[in-house]
Amino acid sequence: MSELKVIPIEKIRIPDVRVSSMLDNEQRALLQSTIREIGGVQDIIVRGTPDGAYELIAGKSRLETLKA
């Protein structure tokens, strides 16, 4: 079952092999301004790993924007 929780960004790892969308500069700027103005609209999805970290499932662009 899914559960909503707050996880420190530094605990989220991006797998080396994964499918992801690529944003151009205009799309990235729009995402940054949207997050700045209204916050995140869609959650980042992760799964726990045995070592207590988390592996990214969906939301690479959002995660990178939040890190910046």
Side-chain angles (χ1 to χ4, degrees):
M1 176 166 196
S2 297
E3 143 182 20
L4 184 63
K5 50 163 92 166
V6 177
I7 298 169
I9 288 177
E10 61 273 2
K11 285 194 161 203
I12 301 173
R13 293 189 288 224
I14 300 172
D16 293 333
V17 178
R18 64 183 301 278
V19 176
S20 76
S21 60
M22 302 297 280
L23 300 181
D24 62 30
N25 290 337
E26 184 178 338
Q27 292 168 321
R28 189 168 305 284
L30 179 61
L31 178 60
Q32 289 170 343
S33 68
T34 300
I35 288 175
R36 215 176 289 118
E37 290 176 27
I38 63 172
V41 176
Q42 187 173 3
D43 294 328
I44 294 169
I45 300 172
V46 298
R47 67 174 156 220
T49 60
D51 64 359
Y54 295 86
E55 181 179 59
L56 182 72
I57 304 284
K60 183 180 177 205
S61 296
R62 286 171 276 153
L63 178 64
E64 290 174 342
T65 298
L66 290 170
K67 282 182 175 182

